[in-house]
Amino acid sequence: MLPFARVAILGLGLIGSSVARGVRASMPSVALSGYDADPQVRETARAIDLVDDVADTAGAAVIDADLVILCVPVGAMGGLAAEFADDLPAEAIVSDVGSCKASVVEALTAALPGATIVPAHPVAGTENSGPEAGFAALFHKRWCIVTPAPDAPQVAVERVSEFWRRLGADVEIMEPEHHDRVLAVTSHLPHLIAYTIVGTASDLEEVTSSEVIKYSAGGFRDFTRIAASDPTMWRDVFLANKDAVLDMLQRFSEDLSELQRAIRWGKGDQLFETFTRTRAVRRSIIEQGQDDARPDFGRSDH
Amino acid sequence: MLPFARVAILGLGLIGSSVARGVRASMPSVALSGYDADPQVRETARAIDLVDDVADTAGAAVIDADLVILCVPVGAMGGLAAEFADDLPAEAIVSDVGSCKASVVEALTAALPGATIVPAHPVAGTENSGPEAGFAALFHKRWCIVTPAPDAPQVAVERVSEFWRRLGADVEIMEPEHHDRVLAVTSHLPHLIAYTIVGTASDLEEVTSSEVIKYSAGGFRDFTRIAASDPTMWRDVFLANKDAVLDMLQRFSEDLSELQRAIRWGKGDQLFETFTRTRAVRRSIIEQGQDDARPDFGRSDH
């Protein structure tokens, strides 16, 4: 039996449109409605037949749903929830796909008093954005972290978990606060670092932008992929998960200073030791199927 | 006409073995000799028939060569050159593939007085190491930067350039010092940052290593690929290109502090502006064929 029969997807970008395609592929009998605040996105969604019904308001999209998933930047969750609060069926479960969870649990709980709220975070994505960037396999073999609000019934948590398993994900249940600490290091800090280094490289005087681009295969190009991610989404992540990000950043800066000092004083042994230790992490990620084992991610020219 | 007839490759790791395979593929009539300081690597090279003759000393490998390419960590260049100095034919050209060039020009010039020295740096690689990790297509459509010693004759520079073009690379001529500044930002700094963040993530108390690995698809896994690169090679790069790396690192740290401050004080507009600016760099890299245009580098699960 399917966990839900009528799913409303609010926000039809990369993740929302991937959820829609995943539902179509793995649960084809589910009735799908969708909404996006951007009229242009709604038009595209209709043109590519992304969902059964693209509504012109959030309220119209949720009115029949038994699952409502908010797929918008985390700073927009509360406002969007307020928009459809009056139209939300009493028995519907509200979920989302945001990259921070404590602030989202708080915003949804405040905007939807009495509703069943089971936030989730599929740890998956690409650097592309918009309704045409999504694809059904995005969540295959990726983890989806479910962070239920304190009063969410167990059966609701299980239904949302089953929904994600049907999209191909493995599910883990976690406290929202712990999620935010874990993701600060595995996702938020890496994005901040990547945005920074791409910015630094763009601002040099004696090395031209054209040189930076030409010789980017030395390692820099990897960072530019992450730094091409959606700016609105990431602005909201850093504002919403401020404390955890600042703490991780502080640790990173201390470690970087130590390596900086090792370089300045020519401490080769210390550098070698650090660089050796980090190899094992890569090996574990490959072994656990969390990355492509082929060299260089299997980039097309190899 | 081929630029060289008898090529000696000293150091049979990822790059050396890729050069060997590239020569076999694109210049099959060239006689290839090889040497590696590690007897195990020499044995593997013989077993996989990497070159025509695997010599047991560097001197024996170069004795008939008209091109000698040193493919060892930059800190080992001078010592290796001294080993074969007495056996180097007077008309041979000496080149290398090191990631820093000023220190290599200096070390080779000192060890090989009177020799024709034309260092080069193919900006290509993967996170794998050793004689079995190489492949002929590694240099296809990548840049190879040639940084001739001051007294190298133009014809020697042209022959080395043609050699790399035959391996599929585009060639650029550059001053060694400028090369080291450019690569400090497009390659050395990214590696240092990646090694640091992978180390930081391994040292957390309340987030376990197993969580870091499980949820690495949020961005972290990209950094682990770079941080799996050869530790000896990278130790030498940071020691040899110290000044340029420390300068770039200083700029990076300043930029990171600025973003840190923007997060602490909730300056969303500033974050949004920075994150928007960096998107354009990615676009240029794709347009110039320096990275895979498919989302997520075309990783296998998409």
Side-chain angles (χ1 to χ4, degrees), chain B residues 65 87-93 114-116:
Chain B
D87 297 299
L88 185 70
E91 69 285 2
I93 294 173
T116 302

Side-chain angles (χ1 to χ4, degrees), chain A residues 218-293:
Chain A
F220 180 73
R221 62 178 178 170
D222 286 41
F223 291 71
T224 64
R225 187 190 74 80
I226 292 185
S229 302
D230 185 62
T232 307
M233 171 191 159
W234 284 100
R235 176 199 63 197
D236 283 8
V237 165
F238 294 119
L239 297 178
N241 199 19
K242 182 171 93 170
D243 294 342
V245 168
L246 289 177
D247 179 32
M248 295 301 168
L249 193 48
Q250 185 57 39
R251 290 161 184 264
F252 169 82
S253 296
E254 288 166 16
D255 293 346
L256 189 59
S257 292
E258 204 183 326
L259 281 185
Q260 182 169 7
R261 197 169 180 282
I263 293 172
R264 192 178 299 284
W265 294 96
K267 293 184 185 298
D269 290 352
Q270 189 187 336
L271 295 174
F272 183 81
E273 202 174 291
T274 306
F275 301 167
T276 304
R277 207 164 65 99
T278 51
R279 269 194 152 173
V281 178
R282 179 72 187 166
R283 214 154 34 226
S284 302
I285 288 175
I286 302 285
E287 279 163 12
Q288 295 192 21
Q290 290 304 308
D291 207 347
D292 199 313

